[in-house]
Amino acid sequence: MTIRVRYFASLRERMGRAEERLIFENLSCVADVWKAVYEGRPLPENVLCAVNMEYAQADTPVRDGDEVAFFPPVTGG
Amino acid sequence: MRIEVRTGAFDPLAELSRYREESTAAERLGATAIFIGTMRDYNEGQPVRKMMLEHYPGMTERQLQCIVDEARARWPFDDALVIHRVGDLFPADPIVLVAVWSSHRGTAFDACRQILEELKHRAPFWKKETLEQGARWVETNSDGYTPRPIPPTSRTR
């Protein structure tokens, strides 16, 4: 399966990239995607996530072709 | 109803005036509640020279639409205009405009408030401030408002 992973704001700077494409066989949820991109570590509580531009949780399932995004708490307005 | 994320500077009062001309409903509705947010020249006790607003194109517009729809389900207002800046901003630049039109003030005030507060909690925007020395990401939004009762003396006047 192919997942497009995107990072925003301070997390984008920390990762050193804005996005990447992951090709993996055993990704079932958002937490697995994070582990795949971040040295196998668990998803921190202060990192927010979205699947296909909707807010998601660590256990939200991911499917082939999904766009998964990780970002810090929002500060607009 | 219009929701817009904009890169360039905007004049909120000119936008309101233009929107009112376009919308035949807006001027006869009776109540217009408006919130305009502008960039402060300080934050957390330090002068801020510039601010960069990043967003998540696509998700931002979806979230804003969802926020406006939810507010409308709770406070059935007639029309709304939401404009939010992204990109580089300088002190006193408008960041956000929320305007709500309704028949009565309660609905207009409450819906305007709900849209703004939800926007601050859910819309994927991030601020990076340029200080006199260096730059920093704003990590959390301030609470902004705590309701306080009106003192009885000012009511009787």
Side-chain angles (χ1 to χ4, degrees), chain B residues 19-33:
Chain B
Y19 191 73
R20 223 181 76 152
E21 280 168 23
E22 287 167 13
S23 162
T24 51
E27 60 192 11
R28 55 177 173 78
L29 287 172
T32 310

Side-chain angles (χ1 to χ4, degrees), chain B residues 20-140:
Chain B
R20 223 181 76 152
E21 280 168 23
E22 287 167 13
S23 162
T24 51
E27 60 192 11
R28 55 177 173 78
L29 287 172
T32 310
I34 301 161
F35 178 85
I36 298 169
T38 45
M39 184 188 155
R40 285 196 305 269
D41 63 357
Y42 68 95
N43 193 26
E44 293 172 18
Q46 286 178 290
V48 180
R49 290 189 167 166
K50 198 181 111 176
M51 197 160 73
M52 193 273 289
L53 259 152
E54 182 172 331
H55 79 127
Y56 184 171
M59 181 169 174
T60 311
E61 292 83 353
R62 271 198 213 191
Q63 282 295 312
L64 292 175
Q65 185 64 56
C66 185
I67 287 164
V68 169
D69 291 346
E70 283 174 19
R72 203 178 195 194
R74 185 171 172 199
W75 315 103
F77 56 83
D78 294 273
D79 205 354
L81 171 64
V82 178
I83 301 177
H84 201 294
R85 267 295 296 281
V86 290
D88 288 337
L89 284 93
F90 296 90
D93 278 355
I95 301 173
V96 61
L97 164 69
V98 178
V100 172
W101 287 271
S102 183
S103 306
H104 299 286
R105 68 187 184 283
T107 300
F109 270 130
D110 291 344
C112 184
R113 183 73 202 274
Q114 180 172 326
I115 291 168
L116 198 266
E117 298 296 341
E118 289 294 307
L119 179 155
K120 289 185 81 78
H121 285 106
R122 289 160 51 187
F125 292 104
W126 301 275
K127 291 172 179 158
K128 189 177 192 180
E129 298 172 333
T130 301
L131 309 172
E132 281 171 11
Q133 289 166 334
R136 67 179 175 200
W137 286 97
V138 178
E139 283 171 14
T140 50

Side-chain angles (χ1 to χ4, degrees), chain B residues 113 144-152 154-155:
Chain B
R113 183 73 202 274
Y145 176 74
T146 308
R148 272 178 294 191
I150 299 165
S154 60
R155 280 188 192 171

Side-chain angles (χ1 to χ4, degrees), chain A residues 13-30:
Chain A
E13 290 183 350
R14 207 169 89 199
M15 300 300 279
R17 53 198 184 272
E19 65 170 277
E20 61 196 315
R21 212 163 280 273
L22 283 188
I23 301 167
F24 273 98
E25 287 309 314
N26 299 315
L27 298 180
S28 67
C29 65
V30 170

